Amino acid sequence: MNERILRVLEYHKIIDQLSAQAATTLGKALVSQVKPSTDAKEVIELQKETDEAAQVVRLNAAAPFGGIADIRASIKRSVIGGVLTTEECLDVAGTIYGGRQLKSFVENLEEERPILEGLAERITPLRELEREIKSCIDDHGHVMDSASQKLRSIRSSIRTLESRVRDHLDNYTKTKGNMLSDAIVTIRNNRYVLPVKQEHRGSIGGIVHDQSASGQTLFMEPRAVVDLNNQLQESKGKEIQEIERILRDLSDQIAGQEAFLQENVEVLAKMDFMFARAKLGQTMRAAMPKINERGFIKLEQARHPLIPEDEVVPNDVEIGGNYTAMVITGPNTGGKTVTLKMVGLSILMAQSGLQIPALDGCEIAVFDQVFADIGDEQSIEQNLSTFSSHMTNIVEILKRVDHKTFVMFDELGAGTDPQEGAALAMSILDDVIARGARVIATTHYPELKAYGYNREHVINASVEFDIDTLKPTYRLLTGVPGRSNAFEISRRLGLDESVISQAKSQVGVESNKVETMIASLEKSQLDAQKDYQEAHENLLESEELLRDLEKQWKKLEDQQEALYKKAEEKADKALQKAREEAEEIVEEIRSMKTNTQLKEHEWIEARKMLEEARPDLSAKRGDNKEKPSETGASKELRPGDEIKLLTANQKGTVLEKISDKEYLVQVGIMKVKVKRQNLQALGKQEKQQTERQVATIKGSGFHVKTELDLRGERFEDALAQLEKYVDDALLAGYSKVSIIHGKGTGALRKGVQDFAKQHPSIVSARPGGSGEGGSGVTVIEFR
């Protein structure tokens, strides 16, 4: 992509906005290098990265980039043996910490973000190196006493010596204050001194390190503290050496982690670049374009990104499908050039991985070259006219145009004789279109208004002009060429009607026809757009109403479900209470030994009735709806079919079909004629259940085994199973059964035997014989 087109379309202003969104110097460095890519795969990948970061930004999740710095120069210096400063070491630690925070941020995102997660995996925490730096240097860049034992000792010595020196000098300020210019202790040449008056120099004695501007004050180091100051300077020298050793050691450790640090820096820069593109898209209310290589461009309500949102007029532009060229006509300052630049800038932004300020659903092609001839670029130095300057530029463009090129011509053919200029403009457009390029051109020439109607791949467009206000609306009307508004504007400005009529009479008939046709097309398109807008608004209202209805319906269903659940829970509680009371009554009767007068099957049937008393509310909710084809009234019944007589709530069998609406059925011992609407065919599952119940009542024992295995069961559960099993075995008509309880501790065996002693229908309970399982089995015999 040539630099001239980037300058003409003001691409650098977009990059400046992008740089402002970057949070780190690393991200800003990447932004400064960005250029539109001509590789479609790379562009698609860039758009995916931006969209993934934009999804995070839309959730108001701020990615943490605090503390991250560009440490690449410091890393390089440490590798070649340089000693880093405390600030550089802190930058390394801060970048390690920032990388770890960003890694944690990505890992804790609720939804999957494959690109960000892949980058986060490449970040190495390097906690040990960060901890080592932080243990040696504080947040202000000061090497702490704890950095080494030797440094701690040296600084302790320095503090002691400083205290001794100050004590000596304080004594001077107290005893010989009249000889001093000021009763203070100060420092000159890194040594503690006193401000002595010139006339008392000999009385104090010592070394003069400096004097005041007037010469009246001498800064002297008394002889009594010279040795102490020397010792102090020596200790400070040792301190500097120890600090340098510590920093060298840290620098060596940083150099040892060069590969990981460089990888971290690269990843952090890319992630910052991704989020900068996403945040710029959010600022512009931009959308991710779909990328293609077919030369197809579709922009819906696209806006020029450099015009304030409250001033810009959105427009729809489509090119590269049914037509490859668009010719825009209309008045000056009507927005033709803005539209031209908006399309070109959208292409450059999309190919740079940026989202474009338009609605969702927009589509952009990837071009190898974008060319533009926009504005008056005549060169005084080259002594070129406006026309010559344009033609020089166009000649260069035509040398490089091919099917993967997008071209923009502003005022094509302007600056020369109108007739020749129009002919030249049409010839240039024909040449560019023949090479397969996509082209948008603006012009004033009336001859080009009919150009789109005479070329298969060309469409006319115009910028709208409001006659009432005498101002452009900046709206692009596709499919309609611009018409001259000279007569209307003149009339609105007060030109005499006779002059206007005279002028109209001098305009050719064909021109009048063209103007009339254009006016008709404009009106038709405006009406169509108005109808479309109304229809679109109605559609949005309908969709909103549908969503509200669905929400209300869901709310009603939830309320109904809650009521059913509440009723079911209430029924469960009532039934549980009844079951507990019934069990208490049964136990009380058995303990009174009055139950011998009742038949055992009556106990069993009473308990089963209690178990089946729970209401099945799920059937009312439609959870177990029967299929009409199986149980509905429409199914034809045949002799032998199992049915349910709805009027009596009894099951029976079809004996004979009397007519389509009447059947002869047997219910119990009765044979009755019943209308079809009062019969319900039993489903397969219900029929099998009925057969099992009948088999049980008849005493068929095919579904009850002659032994019960209680091994591994809890004591209470085992006795509950035993009680039910004995009831079932009695119904099945067994004379004896085997209860397998194992040997174990003997507690379960004793529980089985105690149960057998108390049960009125059990005659005996003995241990199993040698072939029956021994003491691990109890054989129960019934009456």
Side-chain angles (χ1 to χ4, degrees):
M1 208 67 68
N2 63 80
E3 289 295 328
R4 181 182 172 280
I5 188 64
L6 301 181
R7 184 180 68 258
V8 169
L9 294 179
E10 300 179 290
Y11 177 76
H12 65 280
K13 292 185 178 180
I14 300 296
I15 299 306
D16 290 342
Q17 293 183 16
L18 179 61
S19 181
Q21 297 294 340
T24 68
T25 54
L26 294 170
K28 292 181 187 296
L30 276 185
V31 170
S32 66
Q33 301 170 13
V34 69
K35 287 290 187 295
S37 172
T38 58
D39 185 344
K41 291 183 179 179
E42 182 182 359
V43 173
I44 291 172
E45 189 61 31
L46 287 171
Q47 288 292 344
K48 286 181 179 178
E49 291 175 0
T50 307
D51 182 60
E52 189 169 297
Q55 292 175 27
V56 176
V57 172
R58 276 195 291 270
L59 296 174
N60 295 321
F65 286 98
I68 297 172
D70 188 352
I71 59 173
R72 287 173 292 192
S74 300
I75 297 172
K76 186 175 180 180
R77 220 155 55 79
S78 70
V79 171
I80 62 176
V83 178
L84 303 185
T85 65
T86 55
E87 289 76 12
E88 288 177 306
C89 291
L90 283 179
D91 284 343
V92 172
T95 302
I96 294 172
Y97 174 78
R100 192 169 69 252
Q101 291 296 104
L102 197 57
K103 181 183 182 78
S104 176
F105 169 79
V106 173
E107 290 174 347
N108 291 329
L109 291 174
E110 293 183 359
E111 298 183 12
E112 291 185 3
R113 309 291 180 195
I115 298 175
L116 288 172
E117 289 170 3
L119 290 172
E121 286 179 2
R122 292 167 54 190
I123 297 176
T124 305
L126 298 176
R127 292 177 183 271
E128 288 299 324
L129 177 57
E130 180 193 356
R131 191 179 298 114
E132 189 66 26
I133 294 173
K134 289 288 188 179
S135 68
C136 294
I137 306 171
D138 64 19
D139 294 339
H140 303 290
H142 178 70
V143 179
M144 296 183 289
D145 294 357
S146 58
S148 74
Q149 187 62 39
K150 184 176 181 181
L151 182 62
R152 186 191 301 276
S153 176
I154 292 171
R155 284 184 173 170
S156 177
S157 175
I158 288 172
R159 284 189 289 271
T160 301
L161 289 169
E162 285 180 337
S163 178
R164 291 175 63 189
V165 170
R166 279 187 169 278
D167 287 344
H168 276 77
L169 295 179
D170 286 343
N171 188 46
Y172 274 91
T173 62
K174 293 175 182 178
T175 60
K176 299 181 179 182
N178 60 326
M179 300 179 184
L180 305 178
S181 299
D182 198 357
I184 60 170
V185 177
T186 184
I187 296 175
R188 289 293 187 275
N189 299 326
N190 293 322
R191 300 175 76 87
Y192 286 96
V193 296
L194 293 172
V196 181
K197 294 178 182 179
Q198 174 69 33
E199 59 269 24
H200 297 294
R201 174 178 180 176
S203 300
I204 297 296
I207 303 171
V208 177
H209 288 278
D210 197 4
Q211 68 178 12
S212 65
S214 63
Q216 295 300 312
T217 300
L218 302 177
F219 295 95
M220 297 182 63
E221 179 183 3
R223 293 187 185 91
V225 296
V226 169
D227 288 341
L228 289 175
N229 263 333
N230 288 340
Q231 294 176 35
L232 182 60
Q233 292 304 311
E234 183 181 354
S235 295
K236 287 184 176 180
K238 291 179 181 178
E239 178 190 25
I240 292 172
Q241 291 176 0
E242 180 61 14
I243 289 174
E244 186 175 356
R245 185 198 67 77
I246 291 169
L247 292 178
R248 181 176 296 280
D249 181 55
L250 292 176
S251 300
D252 291 341
Q253 293 184 50
I254 290 170
Q257 301 292 347
E258 176 204 8
F260 294 117
L261 288 170
Q262 292 284 13
E263 177 79 356
N264 285 3
V265 167
E266 180 183 340
V267 170
L268 294 174
K270 184 166 186 177
M271 293 178 78
D272 188 19
F273 186 33
M274 284 175 59
F275 278 101
R277 302 199 306 263
K279 288 186 283 187
L280 179 63
Q282 186 184 50
T283 302
M284 292 182 173
R285 292 199 302 113
M288 182 182 75
K290 183 179 179 182
I291 303 300
N292 69 79
E293 297 183 84
R294 309 188 315 274
F296 179 66
I297 300 171
K298 181 182 179 182
L299 301 176
E300 294 185 4
Q301 295 296 287
R303 309 177 303 278
H304 194 293
L306 299 179
I307 299 178
E309 191 172 343
D310 58 346
E311 298 177 13
V312 70
V313 176
N315 277 306
D316 297 342
V317 178
E318 182 175 328
I319 189 171
N322 297 327
Y323 43 85
T324 59
M326 177 184 289
V327 178
I328 306 175
T329 54
N332 285 329
T333 69
K336 300 192 301 297
T337 304
V338 170
T339 301
L340 212 62
K341 288 186 174 182
M342 180 268 290
V343 177
L345 201 50
S346 295
I347 293 171
L348 298 182
M349 290 175 64
Q351 292 186 209
S352 302
L354 301 175
Q355 297 181 340
I356 60 176
L359 297 182
D360 289 333
C362 51
E363 194 164 348
I364 292 287
V366 174
F367 296 98
D368 289 344
Q369 292 288 345
V370 176
F371 295 112
D373 178 53
I374 298 175
D376 185 1
E377 299 182 28
Q378 61 176 316
S379 172
I380 297 175
E381 293 179 358
Q382 297 178 358
N383 195 27
L384 295 177
S385 66
T386 301
F387 178 74
S388 298
S389 177
H390 279 300
M391 286 311 302
T392 301
N393 192 25
I394 290 171
V395 168
E396 291 300 317
I397 291 174
L398 293 180
K399 290 178 181 178
R400 303 165 66 183
V401 167
D402 60 19
H403 68 286
K404 296 204 73 177
T405 303
F406 181 77
V407 186
M408 294 168 285
F409 294 120
D410 189 28
E411 300 299 341
L412 183 59
T416 187
D417 176 75
Q419 190 172 0
E420 292 181 356
L424 197 57
M426 287 188 283
S427 179
I428 292 171
L429 287 174
D430 285 341
D431 183 62
V432 174
I433 293 169
R435 301 190 195 189
R438 304 299 184 262
V439 57
I440 298 180
T442 69
T443 181
H444 274 112
Y445 291 131
E447 289 83 356
L448 287 175
K449 293 179 182 179
Y451 180 78
Y453 295 104
N454 300 326
R455 301 296 191 278
E456 183 181 356
H457 300 295
V458 182
I459 189 169
N460 281 313
S462 62
V463 286
E464 187 181 36
F465 189 87
D466 191 337
I467 297 298
D468 295 331
T469 62
L470 300 182
K471 292 181 180 179
T473 64
Y474 304 106
R475 292 180 61 244
L476 185 69
L477 304 177
T478 304
V480 180
R483 64 190 180 97
S484 173
N485 297 299
F487 296 145
E488 293 295 334
I489 293 173
S490 300
R491 181 179 289 109
R492 294 282 298 175
L493 293 175
L495 186 63
D496 191 88
E497 190 64 35
S498 62
V499 177
I500 296 174
S501 299
Q502 179 65 21
K504 282 186 175 181
S505 67
Q506 296 182 25
V507 176
V509 175
E510 293 300 322
S511 295
N512 279 327
K513 288 183 177 178
V514 170
E515 290 298 320
T516 304
M517 176 194 70
I518 293 173
S520 176
L521 284 172
E522 282 185 354
K523 185 177 184 305
S524 298
Q525 185 164 31
L526 290 173
D527 291 342
Q529 287 180 347
K530 183 179 179 181
D531 292 342
Y532 171 80
Q533 186 64 29
E534 290 179 357
H536 184 65
E537 290 174 358
N538 290 335
L539 176 61
L540 293 178
E541 289 178 3
S542 300
E543 290 177 345
E544 184 67 25
L545 180 60
L546 177 61
R547 285 193 292 270
D548 289 342
L549 288 174
E550 289 177 343
K551 192 182 295 183
Q552 291 295 329
W553 181 257
K554 179 67 168 57
K555 185 178 179 181
L556 287 173
E557 286 185 332
D558 291 343
Q559 289 176 348
Q560 185 182 37
E561 182 69 22
L563 289 173
Y564 275 124
K565 188 175 181 180
K566 186 176 181 181
E568 205 166 35
E569 290 174 353
K570 187 175 181 180
D572 277 341
K573 290 179 180 178
L575 187 60
Q576 180 64 28
K577 184 177 180 182
R579 186 182 292 113
E580 291 172 357
E581 291 176 353
E583 291 293 340
E584 289 177 1
I585 294 171
V586 168
E587 291 300 324
E588 185 179 348
I589 294 174
R590 281 180 171 168
S591 64
M592 294 170 62
K593 297 185 179 181
T594 59
N595 56 353
T596 52
Q597 299 175 5
L598 299 175
K599 297 181 180 179
E600 189 63 31
H601 72 275
E602 291 177 347
W603 289 105
I604 298 170
E605 288 177 0
R607 181 178 287 110
K608 185 170 289 187
M609 287 173 64
L610 190 62
E611 292 291 335
E612 293 175 350
R614 183 179 183 273
D616 186 6
L617 297 179
S618 61
K620 296 180 182 180
R621 293 200 299 267
D623 296 339
N624 299 313
K625 290 181 180 177
E626 297 173 335
K627 296 181 180 180
S629 60
E630 295 177 356
T631 62
S634 60
K635 179 181 177 182
E636 182 181 355
L637 299 176
R638 298 179 181 178
D641 285 352
E642 297 291 333
I643 54 88
K644 182 177 181 180
L645 181 58
L646 299 177
T647 55
N649 196 24
Q650 296 290 325
K651 296 180 178 64
T653 307
V654 176
L655 296 177
E656 181 183 347
K657 179 180 179 181
I658 300 174
S659 66
D660 292 339
K661 297 183 179 180
E662 194 173 27
Y663 287 83
L664 179 64
V665 299
Q666 181 165 353
V667 180
I669 61 173
M670 297 186 298
K671 294 181 181 179
V672 292
K673 292 180 181 181
V674 184
K675 291 183 178 181
R676 177 64 183 87
Q677 64 187 25
N678 294 327
L679 296 177
Q680 178 184 6
L682 293 179
K684 184 177 181 182
Q685 181 178 358
E686 196 171 358
K687 182 177 178 181
Q688 289 176 349
Q689 182 180 354
T690 303
E691 290 175 350
R692 287 197 299 270
Q693 291 173 350
V694 172
T696 301
I697 293 171
K698 288 181 178 180
S700 175
F702 72 93
H703 67 296
V704 180
K705 294 182 179 180
T706 57
E707 61 182 29
L708 174 64
D709 192 347
L710 297 177
R711 288 175 297 181
E713 298 288 342
R714 293 174 62 252
F715 186 81
E716 294 79 2
D717 295 339
L719 292 184
Q721 289 185 36
L722 175 62
E723 183 178 1
K724 185 177 184 307
Y725 175 73
V726 168
D727 292 343
D728 292 341
L730 285 169
L731 274 178
Y734 294 151
S735 59
K736 70 175 181 177
V737 292
S738 298
I739 309 301
I740 304 172
H741 44 63
K743 298 178 181 179
T745 61
L748 188 56
R749 177 175 65 246
K750 185 176 183 304
V752 171
Q753 292 172 353
D754 290 344
F755 172 82
K757 290 177 182 178
Q758 296 176 5
H759 201 286
S761 298
I762 297 176
V763 177
S764 66
R766 60 176 176 80
S770 58
E772 294 176 321
S775 60
V777 174
T778 295
V779 178
I780 293 176
E781 295 182 357
F782 301 113
R783 292 184 184 279

